[in-house]
Amino acid sequence: MVAVGLPLVGAVVDEFSGPGMGVVFAVCAVLGTGLAAALSTRRGWWWVLAASPLVVLGVTAAVEFSANSEKYQGNALATGSAKWVVHGFPVMAQAAAAAVVAIVARVVLDRRGQQHG
């Protein structure tokens, strides 16, 4: 829920403060993905990594289309979709990197706990 909730809040805030996704969305997407990875089980790590780009794209598309549905009619929807993927790629990469950092931190902390325990 954190992985979807934070990016959704960030996207809505950015949409109301100006056109398109901005810094608030990016920060929320990265934090949400990092928290989801930190809170998930080992089996869940793969799902967090695989789903983070889809969550970023899905939230971007849902909020952009909902806020500007008149703008995305016909061929403009295909153009908008391509724009969402291209502009969203850095956020997707940053979110995936946050998940990797959280997973590595969990592995290191688990190993240290086993050595001292």
Side-chain angles (χ1 to χ4, degrees):
M1 187 64 168
V2 172
V4 177
L6 274 176
L8 185 58
V9 168
V12 169
V13 167
D14 273 346
E15 190 59 45
F16 281 117
S17 64
M21 300 298 105
V23 175
V24 176
F25 171 66
V27 169
C28 288
V30 169
L31 285 175
T33 304
L35 285 171
L39 296 173
S40 67
T41 63
R42 286 185 180 266
R43 290 182 183 204
W45 290 342
W46 164 250
W47 292 105
V48 172
L49 279 171
S52 63
L54 299 174
V55 168
V56 168
L57 181 58
V59 167
T60 299
V63 171
E64 281 284 327
F65 186 78
S66 295
N68 305 297
S69 58
E70 71 286 344
K71 181 178 171 183
Y72 298 112
Q73 300 297 319
N75 291 339
L77 180 58
T79 304
S81 299
K83 181 183 81 171
W84 300 332
V85 172
V86 171
H87 290 210
F89 182 78
V91 178
M92 293 177 202
Q94 293 164 351
V100 169
V101 167
I103 291 166
V104 168
R106 287 263 316 266
V107 168
V108 168
L109 290 173
D110 287 350
R111 286 190 180 159
R112 285 188 180 172
Q114 289 173 356
Q115 291 174 354
H116 290 68

